[in-house]
Amino acid sequence: MKALEVLLSKRWILKSKDRELYYSIRDELPKFKSFLIEKLGFQVVVNSYLIKLEKIPTVAENWMGIKEFSDKMEYVIFMTVLMFLEEKDMGEQFVLSELTEYIQTTVEVETIDWTVYRSRKYLVKVMKYLVSEGILELNDGSEEDFAKDGISEVLYENTGVSRHFVRNFTRDISNFKEVADFEDGDFIDTDEDRGIVRRQRVYRKLLLSAGLYRNENTEEDFNYIRNFRGIIANDFEGLFDCNLHIHKSSAYLVINEGSRLGRAFPEESTLSDIVLLVNDLILNRIDENKLTPAVDESIVLSLESFNELIEEAKRLYGNGFAKTYRDMTTKEICSVVTEYMLELGFIEYIGNDVKINPIVGKVAGRYPKDFSDT
């Protein structure tokens, strides 16, 4: 895997975990550092114990976040642990009871009671994640024992990398109230539709999202892609095994087999196959004039109608599914497929409806007849 692909696919490279990779990335960094800074507006943190690329998306999307976490309280506990570690030196040890007391007295959004099993499970999940990311080292004991009785001690050691987990912000965030505040934070006091900011916004969107869709909010960005398509293609194709595809109302980086850049679709899984079948049913509806794409090639359906497509895919092709999916109830398979498509950026919720993004037609291997490349 190329050094740049490694930086993009990992949170960071710790010298303590992979010394050879650390030095390899550090040596290769000058070859693409200007691309990261000038075209993406990304900073690279390099010090004596880690290398980290600050990957900043244009907008927050469904697939972003810590995949190991499923409840907001896990994020609250996680951030509280990072606060706790701010007061600890590299290599300093502490026991779990010291941390649980700190969390209990610090968290204000919800009362935390360690006698409640659910609270202990939240903490255990967070602690395991901290260890897996190299933020903590487990010296003695077991989190599972604490999950069972709420009193077992565990001994940890602070590695010192926790202070690099949260990205560096260009302004004071203490008054931020919602996600949009963070999205706009990098562009404060700047004309977003001109110059370097627009370029970085476009490059980030192409690199970090499933695609860039043309609408009233992205018209200028889409025009930028069409006007500078040659430069953009050379930049990306010179660094990655990919191709820039520009259509009437959408643009994508299509990853080739030689690339290991992030997650690719389809994956080698039954769930990917099911999604392809659902996508094909959507395109059949378009061919039959039962569904009509909007000007931007998207389609908006009620959640009920969208679930009917998934149900039909199971009814028509379910005998070929892996047993896990064959045995699922209608409600279960609709939930799993919908969550997966949200994660991939194929669909998104608009109120109580489902918006099907244009990428559905592209990954299904064919296009609606009136939506050709430009």
Side-chain angles (χ1 to χ4, degrees), residues 348-361:
E348 56 189 90
Y349 285 125
I350 299 182
N352 295 322
D353 295 329
V354 174
K355 179 183 178 183
I356 303 170
N357 287 319
I359 193 173
V360 163

Side-chain angles (χ1 to χ4, degrees), residues 311-334:
E311 293 170 27
E312 182 173 355
K314 185 183 182 187
R315 185 171 62 254
L316 292 173
Y317 310 110
N319 289 337
F321 292 176
K323 187 176 186 302
T324 299
Y325 299 100
R326 286 201 312 269
D327 293 346
M328 282 185 178
T329 65
T330 298
K331 183 178 180 180
E332 288 173 337
I333 196 165
C334 285

Side-chain angles (χ1 to χ4, degrees), residues 291-294 296-303 305-306 348-357:
L291 290 177
T292 303
D296 66 354
E297 298 186 57
S298 67
I299 299 168
V300 177
L301 294 176
S302 67
L303 181 58
S305 297
F306 182 73
E348 56 189 90
Y349 285 125
I350 299 182
N352 295 322
D353 295 329
V354 174
K355 179 183 178 183
I356 303 170
N357 287 319

